[in-house]
Amino acid sequence: MTERGRNGVQREGERLCIGPSSLRWENDALIIDIDEVGVPLPTRLRGQVRLYPSTINTEDFALDAAGRHRWWPIAPTARVEVDFTNPNLRWSGPGYMDSNRGSEPLEEAFQSWDWSRAELDQGAAVLYDLRPRNGQDSALALRFDKTGRAEAFDPPPRVPLSTTLVWRIDRQTQCEPGQKARVVQTLEDTPFYARSVVETGLFGERALSVHESLCLDRFSSNWVKVLLPFRMPRISG
């Protein structure tokens, strides 16, 4: 996506426009219209995503001891429909929507974290494995049922995953004893961030998770900041 300045953003009660792309609520669905130009090669990215939440969760959660960083699982379980003309792509399946906000830069509070959202037979589970810049490592583990009700649980032990191939990002997850965790597919391999599909064991199930590893020590380094505009171009104004 492209970062845009104040003049490129418009917000109304049920609609948010960022340049030529927009999000809007229509009946029970969130409609996301995407019209962008890809980088580093200028290729057109145009299509629509429809997200149908099973329910809307109204509770957010603190990620740090001071409460400066909060995470909101807006739709813990949902159905997603994707219909793109460029590239020619169409599919539907289970999905999820969340939001993060904070009152300071992430790199001031955290060294790194691993996060995952697993689809379960009766809902979903989300695991945060946090390594703060000051203080002990912490974890947030929540299980959501089909109605969106959240229940905290003790996270299973942390286990290592293979590092990414290109940028050697460390990846870890949590997995029940006696089960194995493995990387099924790496979706993004960048200097400070990796997104993957991971299979693990939770609640006696073999569960597929969308997994991310974020290294904020890498992100805050000068050589990575020089690369950021090539990944996400910025239009001022």
Side-chain angles (χ1 to χ4, degrees):
M1 307 298 285
T2 300
E3 289 189 339
R4 287 179 167 85
R6 184 184 300 273
N7 294 335
V9 179
Q10 297 179 350
R11 186 177 65 174
E12 302 169 359
E14 295 186 349
R15 186 181 182 91
L16 172 65
C17 298
I18 305 174
S21 300
S22 65
L23 299 86
R24 71 182 187 279
W25 284 104
E26 187 176 286
N27 298 323
D28 60 346
L30 178 65
I31 312 300
I32 307 167
D33 289 308
I34 299 172
D35 187 359
E36 299 287 340
V37 176
V39 292
L41 299 177
T43 55
R44 177 64 63 180
L45 181 65
R46 181 178 288 148
Q48 187 178 87
V49 178
R50 289 175 173 259
L51 183 136
Y52 299 89
S54 301
T55 186
I56 297 294
N57 171 64
T58 59
E59 184 180 4
D60 67 357
F61 301 87
L63 297 180
D64 64 316
R68 296 191 181 96
H69 299 272
R70 305 195 69 84
W71 165 69
W72 178 19
I74 301 169
T77 59
R79 179 171 58 87
V80 173
E81 296 177 356
V82 175
D83 188 1
F84 271 68
T85 55
N86 294 95
N88 185 14
L89 180 66
R90 179 177 295 177
W91 61 267
S92 63
Y96 162 88
M97 180 173 66
D98 69 358
S99 173
N100 288 78
R101 62 184 173 90
S103 58
E104 66 180 1
L106 279 174
E107 62 269 27
E108 292 186 11
F110 302 100
Q111 292 181 313
S112 62
W113 75 42
D114 290 280
W115 170 96
S116 63
R117 185 267 183 190
E119 187 78 8
L120 301 174
D121 288 343
Q122 299 300 319
V126 174
L127 292 163
Y128 260 106
D129 187 8
L130 302 143
R131 289 167 283 283
R133 199 156 296 282
N134 297 303
Q136 295 182 339
D137 292 357
S138 62
L140 178 64
L142 294 171
R143 184 178 186 178
F144 297 90
D145 64 19
K146 295 289 188 179
T147 69
R149 184 178 65 89
E151 180 183 5
F153 66 96
D154 292 330
R158 182 188 297 177
V159 295
L161 297 167
S162 58
T163 59
T164 59
L165 182 63
V166 177
W167 292 103
R168 312 303 295 172
I169 295 293
D170 288 331
R171 293 182 285 196
Q172 299 184 50
T173 191
Q174 288 120 315
C175 185
E176 291 180 340
Q179 299 275 1
K180 291 185 178 181
R182 68 184 184 96
V183 176
V184 177
Q185 183 181 6
T186 299
L187 304 175
E188 291 189 59
D189 183 356
T190 79
F192 65 91
Y193 176 85
R195 179 163 286 235
S196 317
V197 178
V198 169
E199 184 183 39
T200 186
L202 290 172
F203 301 102
E205 300 178 31
R206 293 301 294 169
L208 281 180
S209 303
V210 174
H211 178 281
E212 70 175 22
S213 293
L214 175 65
C215 180
L216 290 155
D217 285 343
R218 283 268 195 99
F219 173 78
S220 59
S221 62
N222 290 331
W223 69 270
V224 169
K225 290 182 178 179
V226 171
L227 297 175
L228 288 177
F230 297 96
R231 178 67 175 175
M232 181 177 285
R234 181 173 297 172
I235 298 177
S236 61

